[in-house]
Amino acid sequence: MSIRKKRKVDQTNADVNSVVQIVHCGKPYFDLLTKMIDEAVDTIHIQIYIYDDTATGLLVSEHLIKAASRGVKIFLLVDEYASKGLSKETVQKFLDSGIHFRYFKTFVKNKYFYFGRRLHHKIIVMDATKALIGGLNISDRYNDTPAGPAWLDFAIYLEGVTAKNLCILCWKTWKGYPQSMGITPCEKIIIPAIPAAQGLPKVTMLRNDWVRRKVEISRAYHRLIRNAKTEITILSSYFLPGKPLRRLMAEATRRGIRIRVISAGHSDVMIAKEAERWLYDWLLRNKIELYEYQPRVLHGKLGISDREWFTLGSYNINDLSAYASIELNLEVIHPEITKQLYEEMNTLISRDCIRITKEVRANSKNIFIQFRQWLAYEFLRIIFYLFTFYFKQRK
């Protein structure tokens, strides 16, 4: 869905972009990604959590190596722990082709455990003019393959000044955020300004990086709930909101705000699903509509406010994303594109979800199930704390 309509939208710190488009998971996403790589002229930045040697990873690698062979400068940064499925042979091919490759290092790790920040954002920028941002990693699970359809997820493709700002961020992350690094190559690129009066989509880049005192996505979700006038829709994998967000949600429903939460019916992390279900009774008591997505694993992360603006990206609503991960979302203000995304969530709910009511919940639990779910919730709460305590800062 692409928007080029004329409507005045006012937001401080937002950038007006010529194109903003919602991209769906699976083949549409990877067709667009490989097309962007093939069309790149000068520079490609990819910073991603999971990159592996599945068929999808090898496909993207092939396109990157071809781009490097025609002189495109490529900077590939992947999370060291999550991308352990990337073989030494593939990494060597990257290096031999001239691709600049680097792991984002953790502090302590082994085959089953890591301690430290995660590079969880998914940023792809071409020539500082085009970008692809969302929750999808480069792996078969996020693509349509003979083994089955992709996990449910979404991304945003955009062209305009926000792509330049994302390119600047990629350079700073690649360089390790030096206090003084001079002007990045992206900043030298001139992108024509677009008058806000044209009413094109406005986009704000939002970051969460607790170490660097960035909590912009967390604040955006608080703002989404606090300022809503009629309705909020949240689609979230690993939905474990902390007490401040739950308090805002309860206050919103008391104001008469309708809140819908779409969570995973099937999760790749079962302990997280069990912990989520421990919160179901609280959600239902506070008159929050709850739906479980059924066809496959839900991996998407987005929030919609009043059919006017939305946020979408890598950020999960839990403390691991809030405090221990480097995350990036985009906030998009444009009523028309937001309405289209809202209608898509309506279709998703009616076609692919089961509503969890008090009656459904009562029939699916007993004292043993509740204890298991409580134990999962408390275990994850402690684990999140242990993973993040090193980075806690004074306010």
Side-chain angles (χ1 to χ4, degrees):
M1 56 185 81
S2 183
I3 298 299
R4 297 173 183 264
K5 300 292 184 180
K6 293 185 176 183
R7 177 170 176 171
K8 187 174 181 179
V9 183
D10 183 27
Q11 187 200 30
T12 305
N13 299 325
D15 298 313
V16 180
N17 291 266
S18 57
V19 175
V20 173
Q21 180 179 343
I22 299 296
V23 183
H24 294 82
C25 57
K27 191 174 185 297
Y29 177 88
F30 286 99
D31 283 351
L32 177 57
L33 172 58
T34 52
K35 180 175 182 288
M36 290 171 66
I37 294 171
D38 292 344
E39 293 177 351
V41 174
D42 182 66
T43 307
I44 298 173
H45 282 277
I46 298 180
Q47 298 189 355
I48 203 151
Y49 184 53
I50 298 173
Y51 195 132
D52 62 24
D53 277 347
T54 57
T56 299
L58 294 174
L59 172 68
V60 175
S61 299
E62 179 184 344
H63 283 264
L64 287 173
I65 290 169
K66 286 181 179 178
S69 70
R70 64 176 191 270
V72 178
K73 297 181 288 294
I74 301 173
F75 299 86
L76 177 57
L77 179 66
V78 304
D79 186 82
E80 183 183 33
Y81 178 78
S83 295
K84 56 184 179 290
L86 196 59
S87 68
K88 293 180 179 179
E89 290 77 13
T90 298
V91 172
Q92 192 59 51
K93 287 180 181 179
F94 287 152
L95 298 175
D96 291 343
S97 69
I99 293 173
H100 303 275
F101 177 86
R102 187 175 296 169
Y103 282 111
F104 183 86
K105 297 286 186 178
T106 53
F107 288 110
V108 178
K109 71 178 180 68
N110 60 32
K111 186 177 180 180
Y112 305 103
F113 173 81
Y114 80 97
F115 176 85
R117 284 190 300 165
R118 307 184 303 169
L119 181 79
H120 194 245
H121 65 210
K122 291 87 177 172
I123 305 177
I124 298 163
V125 185
M126 308 294 172
D127 298 327
T129 59
K130 302 175 183 179
L132 193 55
I133 305 297
L136 289 88
N137 294 293
I138 299 177
S139 175
D140 277 356
R141 288 171 289 182
Y142 307 90
N143 199 3
D144 299 317
T145 69
W151 289 359
L152 180 68
D153 214 329
F154 300 89
I156 296 174
Y157 169 78
L158 60 86
E159 297 176 10
V161 67
T162 302
K164 179 177 177 178
N165 292 333
L166 288 164
C167 185
I168 295 169
L169 174 62
C170 284
W171 270 114
K172 290 180 178 179
T173 308
W174 177 265
K175 294 290 187 179
Y177 295 93
Q179 291 186 351
S180 177
M181 65 177 292
I183 296 176
T184 66
C186 310
E187 293 170 87
K188 300 176 183 178
I189 297 174
I190 299 174
I191 297 178
I194 305 170
Q198 291 185 4
L200 293 169
K202 282 193 169 186
V203 180
T204 304
M205 185 175 71
L206 303 174
R207 297 165 56 198
N208 252 60
D209 186 349
W210 188 253
V211 172
R212 304 195 180 282
R213 302 182 184 273
K214 295 289 184 181
V215 290
E216 295 161 352
I217 310 174
S218 300
R219 288 173 178 169
Y221 271 103
H222 286 201
R223 188 173 67 253
L224 181 147
I225 295 168
R226 185 184 297 113
N227 297 340
K229 298 180 180 67
T230 58
E231 187 172 3
I232 297 162
T233 301
I234 294 172
L235 178 140
S236 178
S237 55
Y238 324 119
F239 181 70
L240 292 167
K243 288 181 179 179
L245 194 65
R246 295 206 304 270
R247 183 176 63 251
L248 288 173
M249 293 172 75
E251 291 172 354
T253 56
R254 287 196 291 270
R255 297 197 315 268
I257 306 301
R258 182 190 186 195
I259 300 180
R260 302 185 299 175
V261 173
I262 306 169
S263 67
H266 310 284
S267 177
D268 60 314
V269 184
M270 284 311 302
I271 190 172
K273 186 66 245 182
E274 290 290 285
E276 283 184 18
R277 287 179 172 141
W278 172 249
L279 290 178
Y280 279 9
D281 291 327
W282 180 91
L283 293 168
L284 295 170
R285 281 197 307 272
N286 285 276
K287 300 180 181 179
I288 294 166
E289 296 179 29
L290 181 59
Y291 302 89
E292 282 190 354
Y293 176 76
Q294 296 300 308
R296 53 196 188 275
V297 172
L298 185 156
H299 193 257
K301 316 103 171 30
L302 63 88
I304 305 172
S305 176
D306 294 329
R307 310 185 203 185
E308 294 180 353
W309 68 272
F310 66 93
T311 181
L312 186 157
S314 67
Y315 181 87
N316 292 304
I317 300 178
N318 60 46
D319 283 350
L320 194 59
S321 276
Y323 300 114
S325 301
I326 298 174
E327 306 280 5
L328 188 131
N329 272 34
L330 297 179
E331 180 177 302
V332 178
I333 290 189
H334 195 285
E336 187 172 337
I337 193 171
T338 305
K339 183 179 178 182
Q340 291 180 46
L341 186 59
Y342 171 84
E343 293 299 338
E344 186 164 343
M345 293 302 104
N346 285 347
T347 301
L348 197 75
I349 287 171
S350 62
R351 183 189 64 201
D352 297 326
C353 293
I354 294 174
R355 182 167 182 179
I356 307 299
T357 62
K358 290 182 179 180
E359 292 73 24
V360 170
R361 175 66 178 158
N363 292 331
S364 65
K365 68 178 182 179
N366 57 41
I367 190 171
F368 301 105
I369 291 174
Q370 284 184 287
F371 177 72
R372 185 182 69 210
Q373 291 171 354
W374 171 83
L375 199 62
Y377 177 80
E378 291 298 324
F379 175 77
L380 283 185
R381 190 173 65 85
I382 294 169
I383 289 297
F384 285 173
Y385 181 82
L386 291 176
F387 276 4
T388 63
F389 80 93
Y390 180 85
F391 304 107
K392 300 232 182 265
Q393 302 174 34
R394 295 179 181 176
K395 293 183 180 180

